[in-house]
Amino acid sequence: MVQYREHFRDLDGWSGYGLPFGKSTNEAVKLYDAALDQMVYYYNSPLYGGFANTLNKMKEADPNFVAGNLLYHSLGLFLTNSEPHKADFNAYVATLDESKLDPFESMHIEAIRRLEREDGVGAMKQYAHISRLYPYDLHSMNLGFILGLITGHNSYLRDIPLSVVDRYTPDMPFYGLTHGKLCFGYAENAQYPLAEKCGRRAMEVFPLDSWAAHSMGHMFENQSKPHEELAFLEDTMKHWIKGVNFSHHLYWHNANCYLQIGEHETALTLYEVGIKPIAFDTQDTFPLSDASSLLTRLYIDGYDTRDEMRSLCKLWNSHNKELVSFFYDGHAAFNAALAGDKDSIKEMIENMNEFIKSDRSGWNKFVTSTVGDFFFQGMLALSEEQYSEASDFLIKSIPEANYLMLGSKAQKSVFSLLLVFCCLKSGLPDHLHFAQHHMQQLLQWNRIDILPPLQQRLWDKIQDAHAHTSHDHNSLS
């Protein structure tokens, strides 16, 4: 039976990997290895009481273990503007004599300082640099990779794992994981045969690798193959469901496949079983985004989910002042718009304007400053069912936002669906033409020539609207 590791590397086990752990203790480095394992495979080890407890036990085992402390602080400052976490990190660094640190440790401190400044791109590049120098440093490889996803830098999703994958051998921990990461990077860069080769290798080596299963899902989804994706996800569900900190997202992929093939009730059942419970329990932005995204797609496809979206508004409102990700702010906004919650959108606009004027910096501020005003005004118009006005605003924001913001192509496609939906509801010839043009651009982006079934249904509706517009014009003539 396939299972997660129960034995982790001590100092001897880490020897030969080129990482400066020699001054620490056996227990601390074993807990570090256990924390990495849970982090990348999205599970909670019963041996150590889960991921968070593993990190705490690691710090207790050796408070002077620099690499362990830096793992802890990097996660505390990842995609957040938390002043307590910043203070905690700076208090820790103040205890160090930086002149005596190993270069590996100094580079990690610099990466975290960039996270502290919300400089996601700078941190991504720093972690990518560390990963090239220390290919067995899973911490830098994983965070650099995720930052590539967060900042919309698709080439890094491929190039970071590609720079280390050949250094791993089948007998090493995380050999399969590097292939699973590379599968995702290839898929996001439309290199599908290479993606499938890497993904199947990762799943063969370690079937419990939720990210690899997820990567294969993207490989199919980006090629408009919902039936193949559905078959794969359901065949591997017995494994990926064990990655409890990520399973909601694979449920989202699974439900989206059923939505694409027109089985709305099954999609909603999967929402109730695998997405909604985690969204309501954790109230975190990631599962909330999966919930709102699926409900929005169902609504666009003619299935009324607005009551459920209204139940999510209160959960989203608790995040409205964070402004750490335009992707998540966008989900909160379109959820509120379709739920008819104009007051929440007005509050978001006020918060956005304060954010743009503030002394905060970083990638998300750049994205929000670039596209935020048009997008949120579009959401306000959508909440009032002013589809023509909404279309004008979204045409000026969503195409560029898709290239800049956090998220995979599959995740960000909901923004394009909203744009097309508004243009279709507007019915104005210029809006209908733009919707068609935008959908054709997405085909080029994914390097395919077949629209996914949901998008095809919208395309057919646009064609019908064109025909009616032309008929009405001819009647007037």
Side-chain angles (χ1 to χ4, degrees):
M1 182 180 69
V2 181
Q3 60 185 16
Y4 297 109
R5 278 198 292 159
E6 294 182 352
H7 302 286
F8 299 98
R9 289 171 286 183
D10 58 13
L11 289 170
D12 285 342
W14 277 105
S15 65
Y17 285 94
L19 302 177
F21 295 169
K23 296 178 183 179
S24 189
T25 67
N26 279 316
E27 185 63 16
V29 299
K30 286 171 67 177
L31 287 161
Y32 178 85
D33 195 18
L36 292 176
D37 208 65
Q38 292 169 79
M39 177 177 73
V40 298
Y41 293 130
Y42 301 97
Y43 73 103
N44 293 310
S45 172
L47 295 173
Y48 303 111
F51 177 58
N53 279 333
T54 306
L55 288 174
N56 290 330
K57 289 178 179 179
M58 173 193 68
K59 292 177 66 185
E60 292 169 4
D62 182 3
N64 298 316
F65 181 26
V66 177
N69 276 284
L70 296 180
L71 172 63
Y72 173 85
H73 287 294
S74 67
L75 297 176
L77 288 168
F78 200 82
L79 201 63
T80 183
N81 183 43
S82 168
E83 292 301 329
H85 281 302
K86 291 179 183 180
D88 192 24
F89 168 64
N90 285 308
Y92 171 70
V93 172
T95 68
L96 301 174
D97 183 348
E98 294 194 51
S99 67
K100 296 181 180 179
L101 292 176
D102 186 272
F104 170 85
E105 296 163 339
S106 297
M107 286 188 286
H108 267 280
I109 288 174
E110 174 57 28
I112 300 173
R113 284 180 170 145
R114 295 180 186 187
L115 289 175
E116 182 186 21
R117 299 193 296 267
E118 300 183 73
D119 179 10
V121 174
M124 172 192 70
K125 291 179 178 179
Q126 179 72 353
Y127 281 125
H129 175 63
I130 299 170
S131 187
R132 286 192 294 271
L133 295 177
Y134 300 89
Y136 304 118
D137 176 25
L138 189 69
H139 176 195
S140 62
M141 192 273 277
N142 188 62
L143 264 63
F145 178 90
I146 298 299
L147 284 164
L149 180 62
I150 285 172
T151 61
H153 284 67
N154 282 359
S155 62
Y156 278 78
L157 295 171
R158 175 194 59 211
D159 296 344
I160 288 177
L162 185 60
S163 72
V164 304
V165 67
D166 289 338
R167 302 294 295 273
Y168 284 77
T169 56
D171 59 309
M172 292 180 177
F174 309 122
Y175 165 75
L177 181 89
T178 60
H179 288 81
K181 298 282 190 188
L182 187 52
C183 168
F184 186 85
Y186 278 138
E188 288 300 286
N189 286 279
Q191 295 173 271
Y192 302 120
L194 290 170
E196 183 165 7
K197 179 180 178 181
C198 288
R200 294 202 180 279
R201 180 58 179 151
M203 294 298 294
E204 175 187 329
V205 171
F206 190 54
L208 294 179
D209 186 346
S210 297
W211 185 271
H214 158 260
S215 300
M216 288 289 288
H218 279 271
M219 185 272 299
F220 288 120
E221 186 158 345
N222 290 358
Q223 296 178 86
S224 300
K225 295 181 176 181
H227 291 283
E228 290 89 338
E229 182 182 2
L230 183 59
F232 173 82
L233 290 174
E234 300 210 329
D235 183 54
T236 57
M237 179 185 283
K238 61 183 180 291
H239 296 308
W240 57 253
I241 201 171
K242 295 179 182 179
V244 295
N245 298 322
F246 196 57
S247 60
H248 64 87
H249 189 56
L250 283 145
Y251 270 114
W252 175 82
H253 277 277
N254 200 14
N256 193 46
C257 290
Y258 279 107
L259 164 63
Q260 287 287 350
I261 64 177
E263 296 189 23
H264 296 149
E265 290 289 346
T266 305
L268 196 58
T269 297
L270 288 168
Y271 165 81
E272 294 284 348
V273 170
I275 302 171
K276 180 178 179 178
I278 296 179
F280 276 78
D281 180 40
T282 68
Q283 301 186 25
D284 289 340
T285 50
F286 184 16
L288 282 173
S289 71
D290 281 340
S292 293
S293 175
L294 181 64
L295 295 173
T296 296
R297 293 164 193 264
L298 283 163
Y299 180 73
I300 287 171
D301 205 26
Y303 195 95
D304 194 350
T305 54
R306 287 175 294 181
D307 284 344
E308 191 65 29
M309 280 190 261
R310 291 184 188 105
S311 72
L312 293 173
C313 284
K314 185 177 180 180
L315 305 183
W316 273 119
N317 287 346
S318 67
H319 296 285
N320 283 351
K321 292 187 177 181
E322 294 171 2
L323 292 141
V324 294
S325 166
F326 179 81
F327 174 83
Y328 291 133
D329 295 336
H331 278 70
F334 65 65
N335 186 92
L338 294 175
D341 185 359
K342 291 182 284 187
D343 290 340
S344 288
I345 299 173
K346 290 176 181 177
E347 181 185 345
M348 291 179 211
I349 292 172
E350 291 178 8
N351 293 338
M352 177 194 68
N353 290 332
E354 290 178 9
F355 171 52
I356 292 172
K357 293 174 184 176
S358 75
D359 58 2
R360 286 173 62 184
S361 58
W363 182 255
N364 187 58
K365 186 170 183 179
F366 167 71
V367 176
T368 304
S369 300
T370 303
V371 299
D373 184 53
F374 286 134
F375 175 79
F376 284 106
Q377 292 296 336
M379 291 300 98
L380 187 59
L382 176 58
S383 73
E384 298 170 341
E385 299 185 1
Q386 300 295 319
Y387 297 110
S388 177
E389 184 179 356
S391 298
D392 287 336
F393 282 121
L394 297 184
I395 285 169
K396 296 174 182 177
S397 56
I398 284 180
E400 187 166 9
N402 274 340
Y403 286 97
L404 297 176
M405 66 179 164
L406 177 158
S408 65
K409 291 178 178 179
Q411 287 174 299
K412 293 187 284 193
S413 67
V414 69
F415 290 87
S416 294
L417 288 169
L418 273 170
L419 169 56
V420 171
F421 172 75
C422 288
C423 288
L424 182 58
K425 296 288 281 187
S426 161
L428 294 178
D430 286 349
H431 291 157
L432 296 174
H433 282 299
F434 186 88
Q436 285 183 305
H437 172 69
H438 185 63
M439 294 173 85
Q440 289 169 334
Q441 283 186 316
L442 294 176
L443 288 174
Q444 295 171 9
W445 197 21
N446 284 332
R447 299 179 194 171
I448 55 174
D449 53 15
I450 300 174
L451 286 169
L454 169 57
Q455 283 84 336
Q456 183 63 53
R457 291 193 286 274
L458 292 174
W459 178 275
D460 292 341
K461 289 179 181 179
I462 291 170
Q463 295 294 98
D464 290 343
H466 271 308
H468 286 303
T469 302
S470 176
H471 178 267
D472 291 343
H473 177 75
N474 289 336
S475 297
L476 290 172
S477 300

